[in-house]
C-alpha cells in the first residue's frame, strides 16, 4: 500500500482544499487494508469519488483519503446493469443510451461517480436514481464485511439516503440498476415537455436535450471551478406556500409528495438578488444563481462565509433556511 501526500484541491471541482494523505485502491481487499491502516494510525477514512460535490479544509491531518478504482459494467438480459462504484456516472448514461436502454437519460451530464449517485439520490427533470435502483453492495467499515442494501434499506428521499446519516460507516463498492429496453420517457419538466409529440423518440434525443440545457445554464468546472448546485431546493408545507405566493406572485411552487418544492436558484436570484454577485474570489454564476464559482484561491472558510451570506438573506426575507448540498470535509 503506497501512501501519497497530495493537494486535495486537485480532488475538488471547486478547487478548495489543503494537503492530505491519500492511498489508491483497485480491489475490495486493498480497501480493507487501507481501512485497517487508517484505524491503526487513528485516522478517519474519507473516500474520494469524482470530487464534484465536495470541498476541503486546510488541516486534513486527521484523515486518510482513499481514491477508489473499482470498475466494471455488466448488462444482463433483463436490462439489469451491474456497475463498479468508480465508474463515471455520465459515461454510464452515455453507454446505456447507446444500447437503446431507457431509465437514466434524464440524469445525463450529472458529474460524479456511480458510487456517489445513491448517497445523493441524484435527480433531474423528474427522474431520481431510486426510480431505477435495484440494490448496492457496500463495505461495512466497522466489520470489513460486504453488505447489501435494497431500495427500501437505502431510505431514499429528495437528494437524500440513509448513507448521509451513516457517513463514515459504509463504502459503496457496486450498484445495480434496472433499465428498460421498452420506451418509458419522462417528459414532465421543461424543456423536455417539447418532446411529447416527437416521433420515433429515442433516449439519445432526450439525453441530447438534457445536455444542451445543462450546458447553457451551468459552467464547466474545468474552466470555472464549481460544485454544481450548492443548495437543495427547499420543500415547504401548503400553509407556507400559500403565504409565500402572496408575497412573491411569480415564485414557482412545484407540488411534490412532501409539499411544495421551490427552486433555490429562484430564491437566490429573485429574493436575495444575489445572482452573479461576487465577494473576493467567490461568486454566484451569472447564468445560474444556484452555482458558486471559485474565481481564484478561495478557502473552505471563504466558501462557508459566502454561503452563509446567501442563506441569511433568503432566511430573513422568506423564513426558509437553505440546506447546503455540497459537502465540506475537514
Amino acid at each position: 500500500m503506497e501512501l501519497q501526500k497530495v493537494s486535495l484541491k486537485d480532488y475538488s471541482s471547486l478547487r478548495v482544499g489543503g494537503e492530505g494523505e491519500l492511498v489508491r485502491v483497485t480491489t475490495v481487499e486493498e480497501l480493507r487494508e487501507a481501512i485497517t491502516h487508517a484505524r491503526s494510525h487513528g485516522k478517519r477514512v474519507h473516500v474520494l469519488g469524482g470530487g464534484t460535490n465536495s470541498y476541503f479544509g486546510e488541516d486534513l491531518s486527521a484523515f486518510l483519503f482513499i481514491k477508489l478504482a473499482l470498475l466494471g459494467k455488466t448488462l444482463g438480459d433483463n436490462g439489469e446493469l451491474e456497475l463498479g462504484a468508480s465508474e463515471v456516472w455520465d459515461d454510464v448514461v452515455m453507454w446505456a443510451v447507446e444500447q437503446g436502454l431507457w431509465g437514466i437519460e434524464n440524469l445525463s451530464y450529472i458529474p460524479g461517480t456511480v458510487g456517489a449517485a445513491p448517497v445523493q439520490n441524484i435527480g433531474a427533470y423528474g427522474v431520481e436514481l431510486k426510480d431505477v435502483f435495484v440494490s448496492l453492495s457496500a463495505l461495512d467499515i466497522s466489520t470489513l464485511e460486504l453488505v447489501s442494501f435494497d431500495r427500501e434499506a437505502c431510505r431514499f428521499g429528495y437528494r437524500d439516503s440513509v448513507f448521509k446519516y451513516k457517513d463514515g460507516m459504509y463504502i459503496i463498492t457496486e450498484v445495480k440498476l434496472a433499465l428498460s429496453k421498452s420506451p418509458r420517457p419522462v417528459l414532465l419538466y421543461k424543456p423536455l415537455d417539447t418532446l411529447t409529440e416527437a416521433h420515433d423518440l429515442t433516449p439519445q434525443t432526450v439525453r441530447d436535450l438534457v445536455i444542451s440545457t445543462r450546458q447553457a445554464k451551468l459552467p464547466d468546472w474545468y474552466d470555472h471551478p464549481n460544485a454544481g448546485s450548492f443548495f437543495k431546493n427547499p420543500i415547504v408545507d401548503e400553509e407556507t406556500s400559500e403565504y409565500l405566493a402572496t408575497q412573491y406572485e411569480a415564485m414557482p411552487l412545484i407540488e411534490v409528495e412532501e409539499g411544495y418544492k421551490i427552486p433555490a436558484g429562484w430564491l437566490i436570484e429573485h429574493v436575495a438578488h444575489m445572482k452573479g454577485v461576487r465577494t473576493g474570489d467567490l461568486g454566484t454564476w451569472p447564468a445560474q444563481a444556484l452555482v458558486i464559482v471559485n474565481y481564484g484561491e478561495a478557502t473552505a472558510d471563504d466558501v462557508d462565509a459566502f454561503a452563509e451570506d446567501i442563506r441569511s438573506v433568503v432566511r430573513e426575507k422568506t423564513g426558509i433556511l437553505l440546506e447546503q448540498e455540497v459537502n465540506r470535509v475537514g
Side-chain angles (χ1 to χ4, degrees), residues 248 251 265-274 313-314 317-318:
Y248 303 94
M251 178 182 286
W266 191 94
L267 292 170
I268 297 167
E269 178 178 356
H270 296 282
V271 174
H273 303 293
M274 295 183 73
V313 176
V314 172
K317 294 189 174 183
T318 66

Side-chain angles (χ1 to χ4, degrees), residues 160-179:
D160 200 19
S161 74
V162 68
F163 302 102
K164 284 196 168 184
Y165 306 96
K166 296 184 180 292
D167 184 37
M169 295 176 63
Y170 297 98
I171 297 174
I172 296 171
T173 59
E174 184 181 79
V175 176
K176 293 181 183 179
L177 308 177
L179 305 184

Side-chain angles (χ1 to χ4, degrees), residues 83-117:
L83 301 163
S86 303
E87 292 286 343
V88 175
W89 173 258
D90 195 53
D91 289 350
V92 169
V93 179
M94 178 175 65
W95 181 85
V97 164
E98 288 172 350
Q99 311 307 307
L101 295 169
W102 292 84
I104 54 176
E105 60 281 352
N106 290 36
L107 305 181
S108 292
Y109 213 59
I110 294 177
T113 61
V114 165

Side-chain angles (χ1 to χ4, degrees), residues 54 119 134 141 163:
S54 300
V119 178
V134 176
I141 292 179
F163 302 102

Side-chain angles (χ1 to χ4, degrees), residues 66-87:
I66 298 178
K67 182 62 177 173
L68 293 181
L70 302 178
L71 302 173
K73 191 162 60 240
T74 305
L75 179 64
D77 293 337
N78 59 355
E80 190 169 282
L81 186 58
E82 297 184 10
L83 301 163
S86 303
E87 292 286 343

Side-chain angles (χ1 to χ4, degrees), residues 34-239:
I35 294 169
T36 300
H37 173 87
R39 190 177 292 163
S40 66
H41 288 77
K43 300 251 187 183
R44 293 172 57 189
V45 167
H46 184 83
V47 175
L48 298 172
T52 53
N53 199 52
S54 300
Y55 60 102
F56 303 91
E58 292 299 312
D59 181 4
L60 299 170
S61 57
F63 293 88
L64 175 65
F65 293 94
I66 298 178
K67 182 62 177 173
L68 293 181
L70 302 178
L71 302 173
K73 191 162 60 240
T74 305
L75 179 64
D77 293 337
N78 59 355
E80 190 169 282
L81 186 58
E82 297 184 10
L83 301 163
S86 303
E87 292 286 343
V88 175
W89 173 258
D90 195 53
D91 289 350
V92 169
V93 179
M94 178 175 65
W95 181 85
V97 164
E98 288 172 350
Q99 311 307 307
L101 295 169
W102 292 84
I104 54 176
E105 60 281 352
N106 290 36
L107 305 181
S108 292
Y109 213 59
I110 294 177
T113 61
V114 165
V119 178
Q120 289 290 113
N121 184 28
I122 58 172
Y125 300 102
V127 173
E128 294 180 315
L129 183 81
K130 69 179 178 62
D131 300 329
V132 295
F133 181 86
V134 176
S135 65
L136 63 79
S137 295
L139 190 72
D140 184 325
I141 292 179
S142 63
T143 66
L144 299 185
E145 296 295 323
L146 284 173
V147 293
S148 182
F149 287 78
D150 60 15
R151 186 185 307 177
E152 184 178 359
C154 289
R155 301 215 307 266
F156 289 124
Y158 169 62
R159 300 293 187 273
D160 200 19
S161 74
V162 68
F163 302 102
K164 284 196 168 184
Y165 306 96
K166 296 184 180 292
D167 184 37
M169 295 176 63
Y170 297 98
I171 297 174
I172 296 171
T173 59
E174 184 181 79
V175 176
K176 293 181 183 179
L177 308 177
L179 305 184
S180 173
K181 297 178 181 179
S182 302
R184 56 177 197 188
V186 178
L187 307 174
L188 302 174
Y189 284 70
K190 296 182 181 300
L192 301 191
D193 58 349
T194 61
L195 300 176
T196 53
E197 302 299 325
H199 298 292
D200 301 321
L201 185 65
T202 67
Q204 186 67 59
T205 305
V206 178
R207 173 173 166 80
D208 289 345
L209 183 53
V210 168
I211 290 175
S212 64
T213 303
R214 290 179 70 90
Q215 286 178 330
K217 292 182 177 181
L218 303 175
D220 188 325
W221 63 266
Y222 290 101
D223 299 323
H224 302 282
N226 74 88
S229 300
F230 199 86
F231 299 103
K232 293 182 180 182
N233 294 324
I235 297 175
V236 300
D237 58 28
E238 185 173 3
E239 182 180 356

